[in-house]
Amino acid sequence: MKKNSKENSQTLCIHSGGEPDPVYGAVMPPIYQTSTFTFKSAEQGGRRFAGKEKGYIYTRLGNPTINALENAVASLECGKYALATSTGMSAVSTIFFALCSAGDHIVASSALYGATRVFLENELQRFGITTTFVDTSRKKEVEKAFQKNTKILYIETPTNPTLRISDIKWCADYAHKHKAILAVDNTFLSPILQKPLLLGADIVLHSVTKFLNGHSDVVGGIIVFNDEDLKEKVSKTLKHLGGTMDPHQAYLVFRGIKTLALRVLSAQENARKVAKFLKNHKAVQKVIYPEFEKDPEIKKVIKKQMNGPGALISFELKGGFEAGKKLLNSVKIMTLAVSLGGVESLIQHPASMTHSGVKREERIKAGITDGLVRLSVGCESFEDLSEDLKRALEKV
Ligand SMILES: Cc1ncc(COP(=O)(O)O)c(C=O)c1O
């Protein structure tokens, strides 16, 4: 079984992370819903605080249920360590606060998740950390953007919502050559379809709110590493900022991961058919989906680093945003909501919703046009989804 194969991931989803419960042999990890852990003696408490004895102290610093989730995701991403966080944005912000100081510089994909872009642009700048946003799928743009003080190359691939693909291996090599690190937000594909650490990335992060949990009932994040020093640095800052996960949240995500491969592959099968359906529909102007990529260089990258095109589709209608609004208001099975990666199909309008915080001029430059609609295809039956779209598109 190949380490990066879908089959291997399918087994890991079901078996990794949880050791059988040492007390009763429970198959699933118990939910250790406790804020604190008692010590057998004052001496033991002291030893644990001094790091001389292994064991739990306080849930912000570590908890067995959270550790079970961290182990599961680390092994799915082919990493050694993982840190679970309260939200995806906590994972994003903690990385920068842990690894950058005033005077440092970041190079990032221009079409990032809206809040990540706004965080880099507005919040980090107040601390003297600057970011240059470029289309990281174009190597020349990355080379041009790098400065002597660039500490992190931060990419989403595919980007949210324009589905631009960056070459992870090239980005990692280029960052390392310039003494920077590569961090990859792998939320859109999940480790079932892409494993950035195997391609040289130093950090992989997720909004586990999306595919990893998969049931639209939890928010959370996770950061995965191979390098212990890097993990220690981020862990220290995470404990100080306080954006750690809660045990119940961790249990739900751990449970969701059991079916991650099944869900992702089923949603992807639907997405392939929905993308074709949209491409052939007369009301549709343009469909963005990795399988339709025309650029031969990017096609090669897709083949090299992705196990499949994923379940996200962006498209534009001939009637622009007005037509898009009618579509959003007319679908019945698809849910009009932000977020993605749940078992249900979700449809939204990035310009007025997820990316409304990004300045219009920057948004358009990043390819997020006023009429773009983003669809996260779920696991319903394709016949029902296409019927829903057909009915709604007739009203456009
Ligand atoms: C690609 C990506 N990264 C990060 C986040 C932030 O995650 P959260 O909403 O869990 O804080 C999102 C949220 O939509 C996202 O789509």
Side-chain angles (χ1 to χ4, degrees):
M1 202 155 46
K2 266 175 37 206
K3 208 176 171 194
N4 189 23
S5 68
K6 278 183 251 177
E7 293 72 24
N8 172 256
S9 296
Q10 204 152 332
T11 306
L12 287 176
C13 284
I14 293 163
H15 290 289
S16 57
E19 293 298 319
D21 158 40
V23 183
Y24 297 113
V27 171
M28 285 293 280
I31 308 171
Y32 286 96
Q33 196 70 42
T34 182
S35 58
T36 194
F37 296 82
T38 183
F39 309 125
K40 287 198 180 94
S41 64
E43 289 75 12
Q44 184 184 51
R47 285 196 301 277
R48 288 201 182 164
F49 267 92
K52 290 184 179 148
E53 180 186 301
K54 280 200 166 169
Y56 294 99
I57 297 174
Y58 182 67
T59 282
R60 177 163 48 77
L61 310 177
N63 174 292
T65 317
I66 301 171
N67 282 356
L69 171 67
E70 291 170 336
N71 293 339
V73 179
S75 90
L76 269 167
E77 283 288 5
C78 297
K80 286 194 190 135
Y81 314 99
L83 298 169
T85 58
S86 55
T87 63
M89 281 314 295
S90 168
V92 172
S93 55
T94 302
I95 288 170
F96 295 109
F97 282 128
L99 303 174
C100 296
S101 305
D104 287 343
H105 175 252
I106 295 155
V107 175
S109 308
S110 44
L112 292 173
Y113 169 56
T116 304
R117 170 136 190 173
V118 174
F119 169 76
L120 290 168
E121 226 162 15
N122 299 352
E123 305 285 349
L124 271 194
Q125 200 145 17
R126 292 191 293 114
F127 298 91
I129 303 162
T130 52
T131 306
T132 304
F133 296 97
V134 292
D135 180 352
T136 49
S137 69
R138 295 180 195 278
K139 296 172 183 167
K140 285 218 161 64
E141 286 199 28
V142 175
E143 286 167 353
K144 226 168 91 190
F146 253 71
Q147 301 178 5
K148 280 207 176 84
N149 54 343
T150 303
K151 279 277 162 70
I152 302 182
L153 172 56
Y154 183 90
I155 65 171
E156 280 180 20
T157 179
T159 47
N160 181 359
T162 50
L163 307 180
R164 302 282 304 164
I165 313 288
S166 299
D167 183 337
I168 298 175
K169 167 105 183 39
W170 180 88
C171 286
D173 291 345
Y174 190 80
H176 297 157
K177 212 164 100 192
H178 293 82
K179 299 196 166 35
I181 61 162
L182 174 70
V184 182
D185 182 334
N186 202 25
T187 301
F188 261 41
L189 288 183
S190 89
I192 304 303
L193 300 179
Q194 180 169 275
K195 297 186 196 276
L197 292 177
L198 290 181
L199 299 158
D202 303 279
I203 293 180
V204 169
L205 69 127
H206 285 271
S207 163
V208 306
T209 314
K210 312 298 182 327
F211 287 102
L212 292 189
N213 178 59
H215 294 78
S216 305
D217 53 4
V218 171
V219 287
I222 203 152
I223 316 167
V224 194
F225 317 78
N226 265 323
D227 184 86
E228 192 175 4
D229 288 345
L230 206 53
K231 184 266 291 180
E232 280 305 317
K233 263 192 202 162
V234 176
S235 172
K236 212 161 88 187
T237 304
L238 177 63
K239 286 167 186 170
H240 288 148
L241 291 177
T244 42
M245 199 180 251
D246 173 83
H248 188 249
Q249 212 182 345
Y251 172 78
L252 286 172
V253 182
F254 186 90
R255 187 179 201 264
I257 286 176
K258 300 277 175 199
T259 56
L260 175 67
L262 297 174
R263 288 184 284 101
V264 167
L265 298 177
S266 154
Q268 177 176 258
E269 265 329 287
N270 274 343
R272 281 190 156 121
K273 294 185 201 156
V274 169
K276 270 191 206 134
F277 168 87
L278 286 169
K279 204 175 171 204
N280 294 326
H281 199 285
K282 60 180 189 313
V284 178
Q285 171 88 26
K286 164 172 135 185
V287 181
I288 311 174
Y289 189 59
E291 268 188 349
F292 302 152
E293 181 61 56
K294 289 211 176 84
D295 183 319
E297 280 304 306
I298 297 182
K299 270 170 100 163
K300 263 195 241 161
V301 176
I302 291 176
K303 205 163 164 221
K304 186 175 71 173
Q305 73 186 27
M306 289 161 62
N307 275 334
L312 272 297
I313 303 169
S314 289
F315 60 99
E316 213 163 319
L317 297 177
K318 285 188 180 144
F321 180 41
E322 282 313 308
K325 256 199 291 196
K326 267 198 196 140
L327 173 76
L328 297 186
N329 288 331
S330 307
V331 284
K332 292 211 162 65
I333 292 173
M334 295 182 180
T335 306
L336 172 54
V338 295
S339 200
L340 57 107
V343 286
E344 62 289 297
S345 296
L346 298 176
I347 194 161
Q348 67 112 359
H349 175 242
S352 68
M353 297 173 189
T354 47
H355 292 69
S356 56
V358 182
K359 285 183 218 115
R360 184 169 183 273
E361 182 193 323
E362 295 297 334
R363 185 167 50 70
I364 302 284
K365 216 165 103 189
I368 309 163
T369 50
D370 290 337
L372 201 73
V373 172
R374 190 189 77 189
L375 173 59
S376 170
V377 181
C379 300
E380 302 94 336
S381 97
F382 168 70
E383 285 65 34
D384 289 334
L385 292 179
S386 60
E387 216 23 67
D388 195 28
L389 273 175
K390 204 152 104 191
R391 231 183 300 114
L393 283 167
E394 268 161 23
K395 301 201 175 144
V396 166

